[in-house]
Amino acid sequence: MVILSDLRRELGQGMPPGRSDDDSVRRQWWAALATLQDDLLVGSDPPRGLWLAAPLPALYAPELLQGLRGWVWTPKQIGTLLPTPPLLPGGAAAKDHGSLPGLQRLALRDEDGTDPLLIVITPAVQVALAIEGEAGARRLLVRFDAPALSSALQLLDRRLREDAPVQARRLRTSLRELGPLHHDPDLAMRFWPRLAERLAAMAPSVTLQPLVRAPDGAGRGPEAEGEDRAEVGLEAAAQAELALLEALTHEVRTPLATIRTLIRSLLRRRELSPVVRQRLEQIDGECSEQIDRFGLIFLAAELQRQPEWGRPLSATELARTDLSQLLLQLEALWQRQLGRRDLALTLAIDPDLPPVLSDPTRLETMLGGLIDRFSRSLASGSHVLVSLQPAGSRLKLQLSSSSPARHAQGERSDGATGPGDLVGPVLSWNPGTGSLQLSHQATQQLFHRLGGRLTERGDSSLTVFFPVAAG
C-alpha cells in the first residue's frame, strides 16, 4: 500500500535535515508556490501539463487551474461536508459547471498525513514541492532532478492504481501526450534567488495549519464505548466543523493571493499615475490584512484541537524579545492599515525598557491581529493610542481610543467585556459592524501561549502584560 507520507520521505532522501518550526516552513511553502507559479509556470503560452496535490489544491493561478490536468487527495470529512463542492472541484457540480474540468478529487487516507504536497509536470518545468519532518525539524523540499521526480511519479501511479485504476490510466496517458520533456538545469538557479527575495519581503504571517487529525479515541476497543459515546460524537462534530473551516479559509486565501500577485505585478510598472498606484497599494494592503486575519483564526482553531498545545510556553521555550523595537518596526504598517479606515495611530513607548519573554515570530502576527480586533468597532475619525510602559515585573502594552466606539456592546455574560456574539470557541460576530473575528477567549489563549496576559474592557481599552526577561 502506497501512502503519501512515504512519498514525502522519498523526496527528502539525500536532502539536508530540517531545522524550521511549522510557522516558518509554511511561510516558505507559500513563497515557493508563488515563485513556482509567477516565475516558472505562468507565461505567454497557454499551460499544458499535469499536477498532483494533497491535502488541498495548492495551485491558485487561474490560468494554471484551467489549463493543467490535476489530481488532488483531500480529507474524507470535506467530501462529506461538501457533497457538491464548488470549493474543491472534481465532483459532479464542478463537471456540470465546467469550471475546472481537468481536476479529479480522491480520498486522503488517515496514514497519508496532512502536510502539503505538489508535483507539476509540463514540457518545460518538472518540479515536486513538499513539507516534511517532525516538530522543530520541519523542512521545505523542492526537487527538480529527474530521478527524484521519476520515483515520485511511480509511487503516485501505484497509489492511483490502488484507489482509482481509471485515473491511473489517465495519468499515464497524460504523461505520454506531453511528449519529450525538456529538463532545464538552470531552473533551480532561477527558483531559489526568487524564493529568497519573496521571503525577505514577506511579513511574517500565520499560514494554513494541518487539516484533520483522528480523534484521541480512534482505535479504542468496545469497552471504551458507552459513557464516552456522547463525548466522541461531539469531538467528531468539532473535527468536521474545523475541516470545513480549513477548506473555507483556503477558498478565501486563494483568490486573495491571486489578486495580490496580480496587483504587485502591476505595481512594478513605472507608467502608473499616483492615484492608480495608491489604489493598487490599498488593494494589496487589504488582501494581506485579510490573509493574515484568517491565518490567526485558524491558529486559534489549532489550539482548540490540541489542548496540550494551549499550555503556556516555558521560559526556556520563549526568547528575549525587544518589544519596543518590534512596535517601532510595525508602526508604519499599522498607520497604513488604520488609515484605510480613517483612523489615526499614536505610539507612546517609555525609554530604556527591558526585553520581554515571548515568541517573536508569532508575537508579530498576534500584535497585528490585536490592532485589527481593537480598531474594527471604532468610529471613523477615532484616534488609537498604543502605549508601552513598565508595570512591576512586567511590561504593559495598552491600546486605547480617544473617542467612544460606534458599536459598543457592553458587558458579556461571562463577566468580561468585548464586542461580538460568540460563534463557537474560536470566533465572535459583531452584528454592528458585520465583522467576524477571534473571540475574546481565543485571543486570551493565544497571548497566554506567548507569555502574555490579556485583559479587555469593552471597546475602549485593551491591555496585554508581558513578563520581563531576567538578566
Side-chain angles (χ1 to χ4, degrees), residues 54 172 190 208 222 281 332 411:
R172 292 193 292 272
R190 290 162 51 196
L208 201 61
E281 289 173 347
E411 296 287 333

Side-chain angles (χ1 to χ4, degrees), residues 4 7 19 64 108 111 141 169 299 315 317 322 405 421:
L4 298 184
L7 174 58
R19 296 186 295 180
L64 297 178
L108 200 68
E111 303 86 357
L141 302 171
R169 291 194 294 271
L299 182 59
E317 294 174 295
D322 190 338
D421 300 325

Side-chain angles (χ1 to χ4, degrees), residues 285-314:
E286 286 285 357
C287 289
S288 297
E289 185 178 331
Q290 296 306 318
I291 289 170
D292 285 348
R293 191 161 71 95
F294 274 89
L296 268 181
I297 289 173
F298 284 92
L299 182 59
E302 187 73 359
L303 183 150
Q304 295 298 322
R305 291 196 285 122
Q306 298 188 76
E308 72 280 1
W309 188 86
R311 65 168 179 81
L313 293 171
S314 66

Side-chain angles (χ1 to χ4, degrees), residues 36-49:
L36 171 63
Q37 293 177 102
D38 298 346
D39 300 317
L40 300 186
L41 292 176
V42 176
S44 55
D45 297 328
R48 186 170 65 92

